[in-house]
Amino acid sequence: IKECALKATAALLSGLYGSLSTEQTTRLLTLLLERLKNETTRIVAIKTLSTIAGASSDLDLSPILADSIETMA
């Protein structure tokens, strides 16, 4: 279920980021960061981040960028 939720998050952020408020986008990114910090969901979260980053150059990932890099390092 968590994998499907992360894939849905990737779809939302990749395709609809322009329609989402800043608060909604930040909330989705924060949830993604939480999954990235969880050992069980880390791989899927990395794939999700990759999908999001590759789909749009307009999406601002800065709210989670530093923590994401630190977590993956």
Side-chain angles (χ1 to χ4, degrees):
I1 291 175
K2 289 181 183 179
E3 184 174 344
C4 291
L6 286 170
K7 288 181 181 181
T9 300
L12 277 171
L13 287 172
S14 298
L16 300 174
Y17 70 92
S19 300
L20 298 173
S21 70
T22 303
E23 182 180 312
Q24 290 169 321
T25 302
T26 302
R27 178 68 179 140
L28 286 171
L29 290 173
T30 302
L31 290 171
L32 181 56
L33 179 61
E34 289 175 17
R35 296 300 169 245
L36 187 62
K37 291 179 178 181
N38 183 317
E39 188 175 321
T40 305
T41 56
R42 185 171 297 138
I43 298 299
V44 178
I46 290 170
K47 289 178 184 178
T48 301
L49 271 175
S50 176
T51 299
I52 293 167
S56 173
S57 60
D58 294 337
L59 181 61
D60 181 17
L61 297 175
S62 64
I64 65 163
L65 190 59
D67 287 336
S68 296
I69 292 171
E70 184 178 323
T71 300
M72 290 187 281

